[in-house]
Amino acid sequence: MNDWFSEETEADKLKRQLLQKDIQYANLQSDLDSRVRELDEVKLNFKEVQYKLQIEADRTTKLEDSLEKKATEFQRERLTRQNIETSLEVAQAKQAATEKSLKQVQLELDNYSLHNSGTSGQLAALTKERDVLQARLRELEASQRQCIAKLESELKDLRATNQQLQAQDQPNPFGAP
């Protein structure tokens, strides 16, 4: 009877050990499942952050490209305005020189008329030269008006572009208002 009892105890011990191992296994499996869920959440969060970073990187790239284009456009418009201003200054200088020359011819013509010392041929030549210079002066004045009109139009366009840049809340890369 003693053997039977000790065999039964041995069987009970084995059952208890088996039950403990089953519990340990269940606990380990539960921990593993929990960690797998946590890892899946971390992976999902990582993918979301990665996606958001890519969107921000794309947005930044687009903004940088846009800013570079606007800066280039602004620089080109500034050069155009400077060229127009230079052309206008040259036209005004030519007009002033022509006016001075015309006054000089007129003075000489008046001087010849007063002293009556010149021949009629010289007088006719001076009159013709005066008429040519007056025609040239009218051409230069018309050219000046065209240049001024063009400059005013360009200036208006530049101001409109500047206002558009300011309206887009993008700082002017050249520091000008």
Side-chain angles (χ1 to χ4, degrees), residues 26-46:
N27 286 338
L28 288 173
Q29 187 63 41
S30 175
D31 287 345
L32 179 63
D33 290 344
S34 175
R35 288 188 180 184
V36 166
R37 281 191 302 274
E38 287 176 8
L39 181 62
D40 288 343
E41 286 180 29
V42 168
K43 286 180 181 178
L44 182 62
N45 287 340
F46 178 75

PDB file of all heavy atoms in Angstrom, residues 26-46:
ATOM      1  N   ALA A  26       1.183  29.758 -20.081  1.00  0.00           N
ATOM      2  CA  ALA A  26       0.087  30.689 -20.359  1.00  0.00           C
ATOM      3  C   ALA A  26       0.522  32.122 -20.049  1.00  0.00           C
ATOM      4  O   ALA A  26       0.217  33.059 -20.804  1.00  0.00           O
ATOM      5  CB  ALA A  26      -1.150  30.307 -19.545  1.00  0.00           C
ATOM      6  N   ASN A  27       1.245  32.314 -18.934  1.00  0.00           N
ATOM      7  CA  ASN A  27       1.733  33.641 -18.572  1.00  0.00           C
ATOM      8  C   ASN A  27       2.738  34.144 -19.609  1.00  0.00           C
ATOM      9  O   ASN A  27       2.705  35.311 -20.019  1.00  0.00           O
ATOM     10  CB  ASN A  27       2.369  33.636 -17.186  1.00  0.00           C
ATOM     11  CG  ASN A  27       1.344  33.543 -16.073  1.00  0.00           C
ATOM     12  OD1 ASN A  27       0.182  33.875 -16.271  1.00  0.00           O
ATOM     13  ND2 ASN A  27       1.784  33.086 -14.905  1.00  0.00           N
ATOM     14  N   LEU A  28       3.643  33.276 -20.011  1.00  0.00           N
ATOM     15  CA  LEU A  28       4.630  33.646 -21.032  1.00  0.00           C
ATOM     16  C   LEU A  28       3.945  33.981 -22.369  1.00  0.00           C
ATOM     17  O   LEU A  28       4.308  34.947 -23.043  1.00  0.00           O
ATOM     18  CB  LEU A  28       5.662  32.547 -21.228  1.00  0.00           C
ATOM     19  CG  LEU A  28       6.672  32.370 -20.099  1.00  0.00           C
ATOM     20  CD1 LEU A  28       7.536  31.120 -20.364  1.00  0.00           C
ATOM     21  CD2 LEU A  28       7.555  33.586 -19.966  1.00  0.00           C
ATOM     22  N   GLN A  29       2.946  33.170 -22.715  1.00  0.00           N
ATOM     23  CA  GLN A  29       2.218  33.408 -23.966  1.00  0.00           C
ATOM     24  C   GLN A  29       1.470  34.746 -23.890  1.00  0.00           C
ATOM     25  O   GLN A  29       1.469  35.517 -24.841  1.00  0.00           O
ATOM     26  CB  GLN A  29       1.236  32.257 -24.244  1.00  0.00           C
ATOM     27  CG  GLN A  29       0.560  32.335 -25.603  1.00  0.00           C
ATOM     28  CD  GLN A  29       1.543  32.232 -26.763  1.00  0.00           C
ATOM     29  OE1 GLN A  29       2.485  31.434 -26.737  1.00  0.00           O
ATOM     30  NE2 GLN A  29       1.347  33.043 -27.782  1.00  0.00           N
ATOM     31  N   SER A  30       0.883  35.022 -22.743  1.00  0.00           N
ATOM     32  CA  SER A  30       0.174  36.291 -22.547  1.00  0.00           C
ATOM     33  C   SER A  30       1.151  37.464 -22.653  1.00  0.00           C
ATOM     34  O   SER A  30       0.860  38.477 -23.293  1.00  0.00           O
ATOM     35  CB  SER A  30      -0.513  36.283 -21.184  1.00  0.00           C
ATOM     36  OG  SER A  30      -1.095  37.524 -20.924  1.00  0.00           O
ATOM     37  N   ASP A  31       2.322  37.346 -22.003  1.00  0.00           N
ATOM     38  CA  ASP A  31       3.347  38.396 -22.110  1.00  0.00           C
ATOM     39  C   ASP A  31       3.801  38.585 -23.554  1.00  0.00           C
ATOM     40  O   ASP A  31       3.976  39.712 -24.027  1.00  0.00           O
ATOM     41  CB  ASP A  31       4.560  38.054 -21.226  1.00  0.00           C
ATOM     42  CG  ASP A  31       4.287  38.237 -19.745  1.00  0.00           C
ATOM     43  OD1 ASP A  31       3.282  38.879 -19.402  1.00  0.00           O
ATOM     44  OD2 ASP A  31       5.116  37.737 -18.943  1.00  0.00           O
ATOM     45  N   LEU A  32       4.002  37.470 -24.237  1.00  0.00           N
ATOM     46  CA  LEU A  32       4.439  37.521 -25.641  1.00  0.00           C
ATOM     47  C   LEU A  32       3.380  38.223 -26.489  1.00  0.00           C
ATOM     48  O   LEU A  32       3.707  39.098 -27.310  1.00  0.00           O
ATOM     49  CB  LEU A  32       4.725  36.115 -26.171  1.00  0.00           C
ATOM     50  CG  LEU A  32       5.168  36.039 -27.630  1.00  0.00           C
ATOM     51  CD1 LEU A  32       6.498  36.765 -27.820  1.00  0.00           C
ATOM     52  CD2 LEU A  32       5.281  34.590 -28.077  1.00  0.00           C
ATOM     53  N   ASP A  33       2.109  37.843 -26.305  1.00  0.00           N
ATOM     54  CA  ASP A  33       1.028  38.471 -27.074  1.00  0.00           C
ATOM     55  C   ASP A  33       0.973  39.972 -26.794  1.00  0.00           C
ATOM     56  O   ASP A  33       0.783  40.790 -27.703  1.00  0.00           O
ATOM     57  CB  ASP A  33      -0.315  37.822 -26.741  1.00  0.00           C
ATOM     58  CG  ASP A  33      -0.433  36.390 -27.272  1.00  0.00           C
ATOM     59  OD1 ASP A  33       0.381  36.008 -28.140  1.00  0.00           O
ATOM     60  OD2 ASP A  33      -1.336  35.662 -26.815  1.00  0.00           O
ATOM     61  N   SER A  34       1.132  40.350 -25.527  1.00  0.00           N
ATOM     62  CA  SER A  34       1.122  41.752 -25.143  1.00  0.00           C
ATOM     63  C   SER A  34       2.272  42.508 -25.798  1.00  0.00           C
ATOM     64  O   SER A  34       2.094  43.611 -26.324  1.00  0.00           O
ATOM     65  CB  SER A  34       1.212  41.860 -23.621  1.00  0.00           C
ATOM     66  OG  SER A  34       1.326  43.197 -23.229  1.00  0.00           O
ATOM     67  N   ARG A  35       3.443  41.915 -25.788  1.00  0.00           N
ATOM     68  CA  ARG A  35       4.604  42.564 -26.413  1.00  0.00           C
ATOM     69  C   ARG A  35       4.458  42.639 -27.930  1.00  0.00           C
ATOM     70  O   ARG A  35       4.885  43.620 -28.555  1.00  0.00           O
ATOM     71  CB  ARG A  35       5.881  41.830 -26.032  1.00  0.00           C
ATOM     72  CG  ARG A  35       6.237  42.081 -24.585  1.00  0.00           C
ATOM     73  CD  ARG A  35       7.553  41.547 -24.229  1.00  0.00           C
ATOM     74  NE  ARG A  35       7.840  41.818 -22.821  1.00  0.00           N
ATOM     75  CZ  ARG A  35       8.965  41.530 -22.246  1.00  0.00           C
ATOM     76  NH1 ARG A  35       9.927  40.965 -22.943  1.00  0.00           N
ATOM     77  NH2 ARG A  35       9.154  41.811 -20.982  1.00  0.00           N
ATOM     78  N   VAL A  36       3.858  41.655 -28.543  1.00  0.00           N
ATOM     79  CA  VAL A  36       3.626  41.685 -29.992  1.00  0.00           C
ATOM     80  C   VAL A  36       2.666  42.830 -30.325  1.00  0.00           C
ATOM     81  O   VAL A  36       2.877  43.570 -31.282  1.00  0.00           O
ATOM     82  CB  VAL A  36       3.082  40.324 -30.490  1.00  0.00           C
ATOM     83  CG1 VAL A  36       2.511  40.448 -31.900  1.00  0.00           C
ATOM     84  CG2 VAL A  36       4.175  39.269 -30.462  1.00  0.00           C
ATOM     85  N   ARG A  37       1.607  43.003 -29.505  1.00  0.00           N
ATOM     86  CA  ARG A  37       0.667  44.113 -29.721  1.00  0.00           C
ATOM     87  C   ARG A  37       1.391  45.452 -29.556  1.00  0.00           C
ATOM     88  O   ARG A  37       1.189  46.376 -30.340  1.00  0.00           O
ATOM     89  CB  ARG A  37      -0.515  44.015 -28.754  1.00  0.00           C
ATOM     90  CG  ARG A  37      -1.571  43.000 -29.188  1.00  0.00           C
ATOM     91  CD  ARG A  37      -2.838  43.132 -28.349  1.00  0.00           C
ATOM     92  NE  ARG A  37      -2.610  42.951 -26.922  1.00  0.00           N
ATOM     93  CZ  ARG A  37      -2.599  41.776 -26.288  1.00  0.00           C
ATOM     94  NH1 ARG A  37      -2.781  40.659 -26.967  1.00  0.00           N
ATOM     95  NH2 ARG A  37      -2.401  41.723 -24.977  1.00  0.00           N
ATOM     96  N   GLU A  38       2.217  45.565 -28.520  1.00  0.00           N
ATOM     97  CA  GLU A  38       2.972  46.799 -28.303  1.00  0.00           C
ATOM     98  C   GLU A  38       3.900  47.083 -29.491  1.00  0.00           C
ATOM     99  O   GLU A  38       4.012  48.217 -29.944  1.00  0.00           O
ATOM    100  CB  GLU A  38       3.792  46.708 -27.016  1.00  0.00           C
ATOM    101  CG  GLU A  38       2.980  46.801 -25.756  1.00  0.00           C
ATOM    102  CD  GLU A  38       3.831  46.606 -24.505  1.00  0.00           C
ATOM    103  OE1 GLU A  38       5.084  46.556 -24.618  1.00  0.00           O
ATOM    104  OE2 GLU A  38       3.246  46.489 -23.420  1.00  0.00           O
ATOM    105  N   LEU A  39       4.561  46.057 -29.977  1.00  0.00           N
ATOM    106  CA  LEU A  39       5.460  46.206 -31.125  1.00  0.00           C
ATOM    107  C   LEU A  39       4.676  46.645 -32.365  1.00  0.00           C
ATOM    108  O   LEU A  39       5.121  47.521 -33.113  1.00  0.00           O
ATOM    109  CB  LEU A  39       6.215  44.903 -31.394  1.00  0.00           C
ATOM    110  CG  LEU A  39       7.200  44.934 -32.558  1.00  0.00           C
ATOM    111  CD1 LEU A  39       8.300  45.959 -32.295  1.00  0.00           C
ATOM    112  CD2 LEU A  39       7.798  43.559 -32.781  1.00  0.00           C
ATOM    113  N   ASP A  40       3.505  46.069 -32.563  1.00  0.00           N
ATOM    114  CA  ASP A  40       2.665  46.461 -33.707  1.00  0.00           C
ATOM    115  C   ASP A  40       2.250  47.935 -33.587  1.00  0.00           C
ATOM    116  O   ASP A  40       2.245  48.667 -34.582  1.00  0.00           O
ATOM    117  CB  ASP A  40       1.425  45.570 -33.800  1.00  0.00           C
ATOM    118  CG  ASP A  40       1.759  44.159 -34.278  1.00  0.00           C
ATOM    119  OD1 ASP A  40       2.867  43.963 -34.834  1.00  0.00           O
ATOM    120  OD2 ASP A  40       0.912  43.261 -34.092  1.00  0.00           O
ATOM    121  N   GLU A  41       1.915  48.373 -32.369  1.00  0.00           N
ATOM    122  CA  GLU A  41       1.559  49.777 -32.152  1.00  0.00           C
ATOM    123  C   GLU A  41       2.752  50.686 -32.435  1.00  0.00           C
ATOM    124  O   GLU A  41       2.603  51.734 -33.053  1.00  0.00           O
ATOM    125  CB  GLU A  41       1.070  49.987 -30.716  1.00  0.00           C
ATOM    126  CG  GLU A  41      -0.313  49.447 -30.456  1.00  0.00           C
ATOM    127  CD  GLU A  41      -0.760  49.665 -29.013  1.00  0.00           C
ATOM    128  OE1 GLU A  41      -0.302  50.656 -28.398  1.00  0.00           O
ATOM    129  OE2 GLU A  41      -1.552  48.867 -28.520  1.00  0.00           O
ATOM    130  N   VAL A  42       3.924  50.276 -31.976  1.00  0.00           N
ATOM    131  CA  VAL A  42       5.130  51.069 -32.222  1.00  0.00           C
ATOM    132  C   VAL A  42       5.405  51.153 -33.724  1.00  0.00           C
ATOM    133  O   VAL A  42       5.732  52.219 -34.246  1.00  0.00           O
ATOM    134  CB  VAL A  42       6.335  50.490 -31.458  1.00  0.00           C
ATOM    135  CG1 VAL A  42       7.632  51.106 -31.933  1.00  0.00           C
ATOM    136  CG2 VAL A  42       6.164  50.692 -29.962  1.00  0.00           C
ATOM    137  N   LYS A  43       5.250  50.035 -34.422  1.00  0.00           N
ATOM    138  CA  LYS A  43       5.468  50.035 -35.875  1.00  0.00           C
ATOM    139  C   LYS A  43       4.471  50.963 -36.562  1.00  0.00           C
ATOM    140  O   LYS A  43       4.833  51.716 -37.468  1.00  0.00           O
ATOM    141  CB  LYS A  43       5.326  48.617 -36.445  1.00  0.00           C
ATOM    142  CG  LYS A  43       6.485  47.706 -36.144  1.00  0.00           C
ATOM    143  CD  LYS A  43       6.244  46.331 -36.749  1.00  0.00           C
ATOM    144  CE  LYS A  43       7.354  45.360 -36.453  1.00  0.00           C
ATOM    145  NZ  LYS A  43       7.085  44.029 -36.999  1.00  0.00           N
ATOM    146  N   LEU A  44       3.205  50.906 -36.132  1.00  0.00           N
ATOM    147  CA  LEU A  44       2.182  51.755 -36.720  1.00  0.00           C
ATOM    148  C   LEU A  44       2.486  53.227 -36.453  1.00  0.00           C
ATOM    149  O   LEU A  44       2.408  54.063 -37.361  1.00  0.00           O
ATOM    150  CB  LEU A  44       0.806  51.385 -36.160  1.00  0.00           C
ATOM    151  CG  LEU A  44      -0.378  52.169 -36.716  1.00  0.00           C
ATOM    152  CD1 LEU A  44      -0.522  51.946 -38.216  1.00  0.00           C
ATOM    153  CD2 LEU A  44      -1.657  51.787 -35.999  1.00  0.00           C
ATOM    154  N   ASN A  45       2.854  53.549 -35.223  1.00  0.00           N
ATOM    155  CA  ASN A  45       3.222  54.936 -34.887  1.00  0.00           C
ATOM    156  C   ASN A  45       4.423  55.392 -35.695  1.00  0.00           C
ATOM    157  O   ASN A  45       4.472  56.531 -36.167  1.00  0.00           O
ATOM    158  CB  ASN A  45       3.513  55.070 -33.389  1.00  0.00           C
ATOM    159  CG  ASN A  45       2.261  55.016 -32.546  1.00  0.00           C
ATOM    160  OD1 ASN A  45       1.163  55.250 -33.038  1.00  0.00           O
ATOM    161  ND2 ASN A  45       2.420  54.683 -31.276  1.00  0.00           N
ATOM    162  N   PHE A  46       5.395  54.521 -35.861  1.00  0.00           N
ATOM    163  CA  PHE A  46       6.583  54.842 -36.646  1.00  0.00           C
ATOM    164  C   PHE A  46       6.202  55.149 -38.100  1.00  0.00           C
ATOM    165  O   PHE A  46       6.675  56.127 -38.674  1.00  0.00           O
ATOM    166  CB  PHE A  46       7.588  53.683 -36.592  1.00  0.00           C
ATOM    167  CG  PHE A  46       8.807  53.916 -37.420  1.00  0.00           C
ATOM    168  CD1 PHE A  46       9.791  54.800 -36.995  1.00  0.00           C
ATOM    169  CD2 PHE A  46       8.985  53.268 -38.647  1.00  0.00           C
ATOM    170  CE1 PHE A  46      10.920  55.025 -37.765  1.00  0.00           C
ATOM    171  CE2 PHE A  46      10.108  53.491 -39.410  1.00  0.00           C
ATOM    172  CZ  PHE A  46      11.087  54.362 -38.971  1.00  0.00           C
TER     173      PHE A  46
END
